[in-house]
Amino acid sequence: MTMNYAYTPKIWPAFFTVLLLIALAFYSGRRRSVPGALPFAIGSLFGALWAAGALMEIAALNLPTKIAWFKFQAAWQIPLVTATTCFILEYAWPGRWLTRRNLILLSIPCLLPLGIILTNDFHHLVWLKFLYDGEVIPLRGAVNWTFFAYAYGLTIINLIVFAWLFLRSPQHRWPVALMLTGQILGRTVYMLGAAQALKSDLSPEVLAMVIENLMYAIALFGFHMFDPIPLARHTAIEQLKVGMLVLDPRGKIVSLNPAAQTILGSPTNHLLGCQIQELLPACTDLSGDFQAAGKGQDEISLGSGPEPRYYQIEASALNDWRGLAVGRLLMLHDVTEQKRTQAQLLEQQRALATLTERERVARELHDGIGQVLGYVKMQAQSARISLAQDQMADADSDLEKLVVVVQDAHADVREYILGAKLAASSHHGFLIALRHFLQRFQEYYGVRTEFIEPADWSDDLLEPTVEAQLLRIIQEALTNVRKQAKAQCVQVLIHLDDGRAQVIVQDDGVGFDPALLLDGGEQKYGLGFLRERAEEVGGKVEIQSAPKQGTRVVVEVPINRSQSTVNGKQ
């Protein structure tokens, strides 16, 4: 056999196919630990040998040389199809279908063609003879048709597995669609060429190989089939318990994970393209200026009924390589159980604070009533002595003092009862309890009350102990108004600032000279009581007053630490 070759432009498709297959083999071989990468690398090498044989056949000048290279190509056809099947089985279901037994069964047919092809001149089972009409045309023998049927049988299995994977795994659909298209087009082109129905300067084998491997290359490099990092990232997103939504610059949903679909309660195809504000009204500001938008957090509730679900929304801008915002990423964290736990803990703390306050009030009531009863006893005895001695004026004076003390005691007891009701109603929330107390205070004592509430208040803004002490401070301040101020109206104002809550109790009464506080007036005006309670919870009290200008009591207490960051904008 004379080895004569000549250059022809027809070799370039086969040449580039060889380079492409070597690149695919190198790329996948370096990732051989990834399921399916090793059989793909081996199949690429078999394909490179086949393409190299096609290149040499095109360049050969005489018929015997062309036939020799044609046989060389045929030797790698069954191994190539077998390696491709192994790759598809392992890629579709790692470790399940490509078992050791199946691998051995698939490898046996790869060894048979080589011996039969080498000895074909003795039995002509593979090819009866060869014709030449610008290209080698084989007349196939019985065994050749068996090989042909075997190869197409494996191709059908490949197509079935690819279709199964396409339907079962959304994350594989694009690469599977490309490889499936390559398989179908390649086999179609090969059959049309073998039936002389397709005219081309390239042989059907080379043309089919170019189409198939081009599709494999796009799937491999475009979708990183054997790159574990994107695969792991995609798998993590699919398995993530946190809902994830990707918005475009107009606030429309362009992607979401299964957790987000479950949270929103609609199929994916119904959610894609929807405006985020239609689904989550709390996110209306997320479809605005994406370039200026940074990170943000908010909390929403979804679902109706007694047990809605609560989610914390974490929003982040998505920037391209130029730093321009191209969308927004929303993460929906389910904080329902956390909020329920916090609510239970808060309820327990409020109950404990209420019990503690009741014990304190009971001690104060015991001490106060004890002193009053002791004084009543003393005055009553004095009045009896005066009556026994016919000292009517002294007896009348003692009884008059007794009436005043009893009236004050009655007012104090009623106030203690009002305070007990205040503590009980604090379970419903600080503001509700304060509203009820001010209403009762106005009804009992005829002093008009005005309450200015903060717009951004929440029930968990104050620790339960702080709530209990603050309510008692306000109650004591109003007691001073009742006893000392002779006021017609009292105003209670609450606002939040810099991690603290400020309460102002201001009346239009007679006022007093603050210098009196330096001469023991703190006890008279209850300032010592107010300071003691405020300092117990890390707060402070300030009293501002002047004669005939009313009195202003300013109380500051700390906000719950876990809420101070949420209300940092206040």
Side-chain angles (χ1 to χ4, degrees), residues 238 244-246 253-258 260-261 264 268 271-272:
E238 291 294 311
M244 190 189 77
L245 296 166
V246 180
I253 299 175
V254 295
S255 180
L256 70 162
N257 68 343
Q261 176 187 336
L264 297 176
T268 300
L271 295 172
L272 292 177

Side-chain angles (χ1 to χ4, degrees), residues 125-442:
L125 293 176
V126 183
W127 300 286
L128 301 176
K129 62 180 180 178
F130 294 93
L131 304 177
Y132 185 77
D133 185 13
E135 63 180 19
V136 177
I137 302 174
L139 297 180
R140 304 180 185 276
V143 173
N144 194 306
W145 287 108
T146 302
F147 291 159
F148 188 85
Y150 176 76
Y152 272 87
L154 290 183
T155 300
I156 292 173
I157 293 176
N158 298 343
L159 297 179
I160 293 173
V161 174
F162 268 148
W164 175 87
L165 185 60
F166 181 88
L167 296 174
R168 292 291 299 272
S169 178
Q171 73 185 59
H172 292 95
R173 282 180 181 170
W174 274 110
V176 166
L178 288 170
M179 292 186 289
L180 190 61
T181 302
Q183 288 256 339
I184 294 174
L185 288 179
R187 292 296 178 265
T188 303
V189 167
Y190 180 78
M191 292 181 67
L192 291 175
Q196 302 296 316
L198 180 65
K199 300 297 182 180
S200 173
D201 292 338
L202 299 176
S203 66
E205 294 87 351
V206 173
L207 187 57
M209 190 179 302
V210 169
I211 294 174
E212 284 189 40
N213 289 286
L214 183 60
M215 292 297 183
Y216 277 107
I218 295 174
L220 189 62
F221 294 111
F223 293 91
H224 304 281
M225 284 169 38
F226 297 139
D227 192 341
I229 295 177
L231 182 61
R233 184 182 296 117
H234 186 89
T235 302
I237 290 174
E238 291 294 311
Q239 297 177 355
L240 195 64
K241 300 300 182 183
V242 176
M244 190 189 77
L245 296 166
V246 180
L247 310 181
D248 67 7
R250 295 174 296 175
K252 290 185 176 182
I253 299 175
V254 295
S255 180
L256 70 162
N257 68 343
Q261 176 187 336
T262 302
I263 291 171
L264 297 176
S266 295
T268 300
N269 57 344
H270 290 174
L271 295 172
L272 292 177
C274 291
Q275 289 285 346
I276 187 63
Q277 60 264 33
E278 296 177 1
L279 301 172
L280 304 175
C283 302
T284 52
D285 59 331
L286 296 179
S287 57
D289 187 359
F290 275 67
Q291 184 61 36
K295 289 187 176 181
Q297 288 189 348
D298 202 353
E299 189 173 286
I300 62 171
S301 63
L302 296 177
S304 57
E307 295 186 355
R309 306 294 298 182
Y310 295 92
Y311 298 92
Q312 185 181 61
I313 301 180
E314 183 178 355
S316 303
L318 299 176
N319 301 323
D320 63 8
W321 60 275
R322 300 165 297 179
L324 299 178
V326 295
R328 183 64 74 89
L329 175 67
L330 299 186
M331 305 295 289
L332 304 180
H333 303 269
D334 191 338
V335 294
T336 305
E337 296 304 323
Q338 180 181 345
K339 285 188 70 68
R340 288 174 181 170
T341 302
Q342 290 176 347
Q344 292 175 357
L345 180 60
L346 188 63
E347 188 65 24
Q348 292 172 358
Q349 291 176 343
R350 281 179 175 163
L352 180 60
T354 301
L355 290 175
T356 304
E357 185 60 26
R358 283 179 178 175
E359 291 178 1
R360 186 167 184 167
V361 170
R363 289 196 301 269
E364 293 174 358
L365 183 61
H366 176 271
D367 295 341
I369 294 299
Q371 292 178 2
V372 169
L373 292 178
Y375 182 79
V376 167
K377 178 181 178 182
M378 183 180 65
Q379 289 297 113
Q381 289 175 345
S382 177
R384 287 186 62 191
I385 293 173
S386 297
L387 288 173
Q389 298 176 355
D390 292 329
Q391 298 175 354
M392 303 304 294
D394 292 340
D396 184 67
S397 176
D398 291 337
L399 290 174
E400 184 178 355
K401 292 179 182 178
L402 186 60
V403 170
V404 172
V405 170
V406 171
Q407 286 178 342
D408 289 342
H410 178 262
D412 288 340
V413 169
R414 187 163 61 176
E415 204 155 279
Y416 277 124
I417 295 173
L418 184 59
K421 292 180 179 179
L422 175 65
S425 61
S426 65
H427 286 282
H428 303 292
F430 176 82
L431 294 185
I432 295 177
L434 185 54
R435 281 194 221 104
H436 288 170
F437 174 76
L438 293 176
Q439 182 180 356
R440 295 289 182 87
F441 183 86
Q442 177 174 294

Side-chain angles (χ1 to χ4, degrees), residues 22 46 84 167 196 273 351 403 442 473 497 508 530:
I22 291 175
F46 289 156
T84 301
L167 296 174
Q196 302 296 316
V403 170
Q442 177 174 294
I473 290 172
D497 183 32
D508 60 355
L530 301 183

